[in-house]
Amino acid sequence: MKETDTAAATDVIVRTSEPPRLHVMARLRELWGARQILANLVRKGVKVKYKSSGLGPAGSILNPALYLAVFTLVFTVVLPNRIPQSPVYLRSGLLAWNLFGNALGLGARSVVDNGNLVNKVYFPREVLPLASVGTALVDFALQAVVLSVFMLILRHRFWGMNLLLLPLAVLALLTLATALAMFVAAVNVRYRDTQHLVALALLIWFWFTPVVYPSGYLVRASVAHRPLFGVSYYHLILANPVADIVLGFQRSLYRVVAPPPGKPILLPVSLPWLAAVLGAVFVGSLGLLLLSWRTFFHRSGDFAEDLG
């Protein structure tokens, strides 16, 4: 009898800090109770980011400004592309991409970089990737200031119905970034090369997203070339959720679809159609967030052991 009890006991998986199943509403209440920890971690992330920089938060303004200068030089002087008010076009796309890329880059390392905290203090572990998204959101706000300045300098008219797309695009972006940050954070605890693979994936993903080149040009290319197995550049854009979100930012802030002589810069689609696409991305990102959250939660009970 004792041998049977001993054998049964060895089959039991002991979770050190979390219940065996995720109960969403209960966990949300727990996360709400840990909001002060989240705020402190975001504050810490911002301080660490700027600690080694003599420019401080101004670095988040100077960095995108330098990016803008380089891209403007390349695409308007070296490779003229005839995009009117190209700084606004470039920055509107980079604004969305930088939030996404920063959230994933910081999120992948969020648990590993806070290993001492995980081993010593109990708190909902989801706070760590959420804090990474929060830190990226601070950068997003600072970079939005740069874009606002450029629009004022260039007297760019961005107001109108197109601005209604912006809240939906931001919501979809935050949901998608949070879902992927949570997933890569959990996987990186066990497989430390994940953070390097994320950096490589982001580099490739960037060039498959119409940030520095006009999406309207791809539509013309799709017409000029036969689709491969029925798949054109246009379909590839729509299949990329980050591209859809970037299109939402560009349509909201840049707004110009087809300036004279009529060659489209942005996808020549209606605002309701693009809003429906962003809504679909948001719904899909919510589903992905739930799956990523369950994966993160399932692994989080073993974080202390994996971090050793």
Side-chain angles (χ1 to χ4, degrees):
M1 187 66 178
K2 290 183 178 179
E3 292 181 359
T4 304
D5 293 341
T6 303
T10 58
D11 292 335
V12 176
I13 299 175
V14 178
R15 299 186 63 82
T16 56
S17 59
E18 301 292 358
R21 295 187 61 185
L22 171 65
H23 299 281
V24 174
M25 296 309 298
R27 195 63 170 179
L28 285 174
R29 288 192 292 269
E30 192 172 354
L31 286 170
W32 176 253
R35 61 189 181 279
Q36 189 60 46
I37 299 175
L38 175 61
N40 289 336
L41 286 172
V42 171
R43 194 176 299 113
K44 173 191 171 185
V46 173
K47 287 182 179 179
V48 169
K49 183 177 178 65
Y50 300 126
K51 186 176 181 181
S52 58
S53 173
L55 296 174
S60 272
I61 297 178
L62 181 61
N63 185 54
L66 291 176
Y67 262 102
L68 179 63
V70 171
F71 282 130
T72 301
L73 176 65
V74 171
F75 288 94
T76 62
V77 179
V78 181
L79 299 172
N81 57 12
R82 299 178 183 177
I83 299 179
Q85 297 184 328
S86 57
V88 178
Y89 174 83
L90 290 170
R91 276 258 31 101
S92 60
L94 285 172
L95 183 66
W97 176 262
N98 287 341
L99 174 56
F100 179 74
N102 288 339
L104 259 64
L106 293 172
R109 307 190 309 269
S110 60
V111 178
V112 174
D113 287 352
N114 291 280
N116 291 336
L117 190 61
V118 171
N119 288 327
K120 294 178 180 179
V121 182
Y122 172 76
F123 59 92
R125 307 310 189 200
E126 297 93 323
V127 166
L128 297 173
L130 288 175
S132 298
V133 176
T135 302
L137 196 56
V138 173
D139 271 351
F140 174 84
L142 293 174
Q143 292 174 25
V145 172
V146 177
L147 178 56
S148 300
V149 170
F150 271 104
M151 288 192 292
L152 289 174
I153 292 175
L154 296 175
R155 297 181 180 179
H156 180 74
R157 297 181 180 181
F158 59 91
W159 54 86
M161 293 294 292
N162 49 290
L163 278 179
L164 296 177
L165 289 176
L166 188 58
L168 183 57
V170 172
L171 186 60
L173 177 58
L174 287 175
T175 306
L176 179 62
T178 302
L180 294 180
M182 211 172 269
F183 177 77
V184 296
V187 175
N188 191 55
V189 176
R190 182 72 60 87
Y191 307 103
R192 301 297 171 85
D193 288 340
T194 301
Q195 62 193 41
H196 304 298
L197 294 176
V198 167
L200 178 61
L202 285 173
L203 179 61
I204 298 171
W205 203 339
F206 176 79
W207 291 107
F208 276 91
T209 304
V211 175
V212 297
Y213 54 87
S215 55
Y217 289 8
L218 295 183
V219 175
R220 297 209 305 272
S222 297
V223 175
H225 299 85
R226 292 183 60 184
L228 181 63
F229 302 111
V231 178
S232 66
Y233 296 126
Y234 179 75
H235 297 121
L236 291 176
I237 291 176
L238 297 181
N240 179 359
V242 182
D244 297 329
I245 293 169
V246 166
L247 291 174
F249 272 75
Q250 292 169 340
R251 188 65 176 269
S252 300
L253 301 173
Y254 180 67
R255 197 183 66 167
V256 180
V257 177
K263 294 181 179 180
I265 292 176
L266 303 181
L267 285 186
V269 295
S270 67
L271 289 177
W273 188 93
L274 188 52
V277 171
L278 289 173
V281 172
F282 171 63
V283 172
S285 297
L286 277 179
L288 181 61
L289 176 59
L290 181 59
L291 293 175
S292 299
W293 190 1
R294 290 185 183 277
T295 300
F296 185 94
F297 184 83
H298 179 72
R299 291 175 174 266
S300 63
D302 299 325
F303 282 170
E305 180 181 353
D306 291 336
L307 293 170

